[in-house]
Structures are given as C-alpha cells and as structure tokens.
Amino acid sequence: MFRRRGAVLQEKKTDEKAFVPVRKKVSKEEYIEQFQQLFRLRNEFAGSAGFTDYLAYQYALLGIDGELLDGILETTARCHTADAGKNTLREKIQKWKNAECLKQQNQIDLAKKVLEHFHLQVQWDAVQIHHEGLPQFFIGNCISISVPDESHVLINLVPGLSGFSILMHEIGHAYYYNHIRQDAPEWAGPYSAVIEEFVALVFEDLVYSPQFLSTFLGSDEDLLMDKLDYQTDYLCCCAWFEQNIYRKDMPDLDAEWEAACEKYAVSKEMEWRSPHFFVSYPGFFAVDVMAGHFVKLFYEHVRDGRLKMDDFLQKQICEPGRQLDFERVISQTLTNV
C-alpha cells in the first residue's frame, strides 16, 4: 500500500510539474484530457490516504471546515448580485486604469501613505519589495523567510486601481507575517490559510473604499461593497466548480463551468481555463471564498462603527498567534462585537 501510494504521489507530482507551464499552450481538447488525468491521480492519492477526494485532503491541510464552506456557497447562490451590476463595476474600475493621478505616484510610496492613513503599521524594515526583473506573466506573491523577521514581496507593478490593489494584497500578507506571534494559545485550532488570506484581502479591498478614493484620488465614488459582492460571486463560482469536478468521474468541464456561472451570475466569457489555481493550488478558491465572506462581514462592521480596523487586525487576528480558528473568530468576535 505504501509503495503504491508513493508511486501515485510521484506520478501526480510529475504530471503537475509538466502541466502548469503548458496550460495556455495546448489545445482545449488536450488541456481537458490532461486535466482529467491529473485529478484522477490526485483523487487516487487522496483515497489511499483515507480521504473521499483530493479536495477533502486539501481542505484538511488548509484548515477548511467543509460544512461552513458549503453553507457560504449556498447562501451566496441565493443572494448573488446581478451580472449587469458586475459589468458596471468593471467599467468603473477600468476607468481608473489610465488615471493620471495614479500614474504620477510611485505605487510603493502610495501604499505606505495609504497604510499610514488607515493606521495599519507595517514593519517595513522586515519587508523587502522586489519589482524589477520578474517574468512578465508574474503577478505577485509574498514569501515569508522567517516569521516575523523577514518577508519578501515579489510584484510586477501594473498601472491602475486593480494593479495597485494587487500590491496592497501582497503587502497584507507581509503585515500578517510581521505581526503574528509564534506561540499559539491553548484554544487555537489548526493553522488556517483562511485567516492569512483574510488579512491580505482586507488590504486589497481598502483600494475600493470611499476613504481611499476620496483622500487619494479625489473621487466621490464608493466601489467597496460592489467589489466585495463581485469578488464573492466569482470565488464561489470557482470553488463550486472545483468541488464538482473532483466529486464526479469524467465530468464535462464546460458543462460544469456553465452551471457554476449560471448559479452565481458570473459572465461565461471568463473561461474555467483562465485561473491557474485549478492546476497549481486545488482548494485555493475555497480558502478565498471563506476569507472573502469574512471580509464582507468585517467591512460591514467597520462601516457601522462596530469594529476599529487596526485594533481588530492586530489584537484579534495577529496577537493570538500563528494558529487561529477561523470559525471561532466568526462566531465569537464578528457576531458579538
């Protein structure tokens, strides 16, 4: 059994390594064939470890509560925003792509000013930002070398509101790394990727808030809640699609994606082949669904004055340590402020 599990794991790793770089270079038919082979191998490996499918295995590693995730997916399906509203949001964000007021500012300096304005104190002496010499296709990442002493943000700086929000997202990861404690309290549950992604999304979504738009861009717009609704629907669409393809033998990927887009009112123009996370990081969209749900609750509480942003992030998220139970924070903090 152990030899067989090792052989399947090696075959899975080999296929994953080969598949990621050719994702956009092969025909759709070949892509589907290779992808189905890959998640058959993943499911076989997960089964040998006692899991029903590979996503169940990934959820266990990432600290994801499957029942809580399913509840968020179904609630979002009942409450999703109209696709027409999402198109309007895209148009509003697009108009800032070439805005002179954003072009004229150094994005890293602007990020520091924004965080100072919101009293979010990043320990910049522990953060290195690299934005030159990266491959063109690379978007952004934050790597923690040692916690909390050294983090590296790798980013291709892209003009406009969306590009700036990506920089803020990666700095959010750095903020999380350089504020958390190593020692976890006794009540802490397993490590949750959701908590870390939540902090990064809080930083990303600051860019769409009326406070940022008015203070730094001189605009009277408020894009925040529309952006959060759009973000939630898209992430739920991807997570629901991913669950279905791992839980069925030889699924029709196009049909599953069409059903997911219809369920969450997401434009079918965005193909399921576009995100690389289905190949490189199964379970990523489930993490982002839960983190995004948390972010919506968070900003609703910030807006009506029930939460102070910096105080909550530092004392309720970072101070408890690296391990923090996601469901506990939801039930005991946000709902009982």
Side-chain angles (χ1 to χ4, degrees):
M1 168 62 77
F2 289 109
R3 284 197 296 272
R4 173 58 186 155
R5 183 185 301 176
V8 173
L9 175 60
Q10 185 57 47
E11 189 177 357
K12 177 182 79 69
K13 287 183 174 179
T14 301
D15 273 29
E16 287 172 341
K17 187 175 180 180
F19 191 25
V20 172
V22 301
R23 186 172 58 89
K24 293 187 177 181
K25 298 178 182 178
V26 299
S27 68
K28 185 174 183 179
E29 291 73 23
E30 187 177 351
Y31 186 95
I32 290 173
E33 183 180 346
Q34 290 191 39
F35 195 18
Q36 288 179 331
Q37 170 65 12
L38 181 57
F39 60 68
R40 280 198 299 273
L41 286 168
R42 285 172 166 171
N43 277 346
E44 186 177 349
F45 168 71
S48 72
F51 292 89
T52 55
D53 57 63
Y54 192 69
L55 278 189
Y57 165 76
Q58 285 290 99
Y59 290 173
L61 290 179
L62 296 168
I64 292 176
D65 183 320
E67 289 186 8
L68 185 58
L69 172 63
D70 288 341
I72 294 171
L73 289 173
E74 289 309 310
T75 300
T76 304
R78 292 194 298 269
C79 306
H80 64 67
T81 55
D83 195 36
K86 296 170 189 177
N87 289 331
T88 302
L89 174 65
R90 283 194 289 269
E91 291 169 4
K92 288 179 178 178
I93 293 175
Q94 183 68 19
K95 88 172 188 181
W96 289 107
K97 184 174 182 179
N98 297 309
E100 287 301 320
C101 53
L102 276 173
K103 281 184 177 179
Q104 292 167 4
Q105 300 188 65
N106 178 291
Q107 287 196 22
I108 296 172
D109 289 343
L110 178 59
K112 292 180 178 181
K113 291 177 185 176
V114 171
L115 295 176
E116 184 178 356
H117 176 78
F118 285 99
H119 308 291
L120 296 168
Q121 302 303 316
V122 173
Q123 298 168 14
W124 293 109
D125 57 344
V127 181
Q128 300 281 336
I129 300 180
H130 311 273
H131 59 90
E132 296 179 350
L134 298 171
Q136 188 174 1
F137 64 82
F138 187 84
I139 299 173
N141 196 9
C142 181
I143 302 167
S144 175
I145 305 300
S146 61
V147 176
D149 298 323
E150 185 181 0
S151 299
H152 293 260
V153 171
L154 289 74
I155 188 84
N156 266 324
L157 299 175
V158 177
L161 209 58
S162 296
F164 183 60
S165 73
I166 294 171
L167 172 61
M168 291 288 288
H169 180 103
E170 301 307 334
I171 292 174
H173 282 291
Y175 174 93
Y176 175 76
Y177 294 143
N178 65 27
H179 280 84
I180 58 180
R181 282 208 331 255
Q182 290 284 10
D183 55 317
E186 292 182 1
W187 52 257
Y191 166 73
S192 175
V194 174
I195 293 295
E196 180 182 333
E197 200 62 30
F198 158 72
V199 177
L201 285 171
V202 166
F203 276 55
E204 171 186 326
D205 293 328
L206 278 177
V207 171
Y208 302 94
S209 69
Q211 294 93 329
F212 169 81
L213 292 167
S214 61
T215 303
F216 295 94
L217 301 184
S219 170
D220 60 359
E221 287 188 294
D222 179 358
L223 304 178
L224 180 60
M225 299 315 290
D226 286 342
K227 195 269 185 183
L228 291 173
D229 285 336
Y230 168 76
Q231 172 180 289
T232 300
D233 287 349
Y234 176 70
L235 294 173
C236 284
C237 175
C238 291
W240 193 74
F241 166 78
E242 188 169 57
Q243 283 192 349
N244 287 342
I245 64 176
Y246 276 97
R247 293 173 180 175
K248 297 179 181 178
D249 293 328
M250 297 295 291
D252 183 329
L253 298 174
D254 286 336
E256 294 293 347
W257 181 249
E258 185 173 346
C261 290
E262 184 173 342
K263 186 178 181 74
Y264 294 99
V266 169
S267 172
K268 297 172 188 175
E269 294 176 5
M270 293 198 279
E271 285 194 326
W272 59 267
R273 289 187 297 165
S274 296
H276 67 84
F277 298 111
F278 292 130
V279 177
S280 61
Y281 192 174
F284 169 86
F285 286 112
V287 169
D288 261 16
V289 162
M290 297 181 74
H293 182 72
F294 194 174
V295 169
K296 283 186 71 173
L297 290 175
F298 171 80
Y299 272 115
E300 287 171 2
H301 284 63
V302 168
R303 282 195 160 198
D304 63 20
R306 285 182 285 170
L307 279 183
K308 187 178 178 184
M309 183 182 299
D310 56 326
D311 185 68
F312 177 79
L313 290 178
Q314 290 191 22
K315 293 185 178 178
Q316 299 295 335
I317 299 298
C318 297
E319 282 187 10
R322 295 194 70 179
Q323 297 179 313
L324 187 61
D325 185 83
F326 173 74
E327 192 169 4
R328 176 190 176 278
V329 175
I330 286 284
S331 62
Q332 295 186 19
T333 306
L334 283 185
T335 55
N336 297 297
V337 209

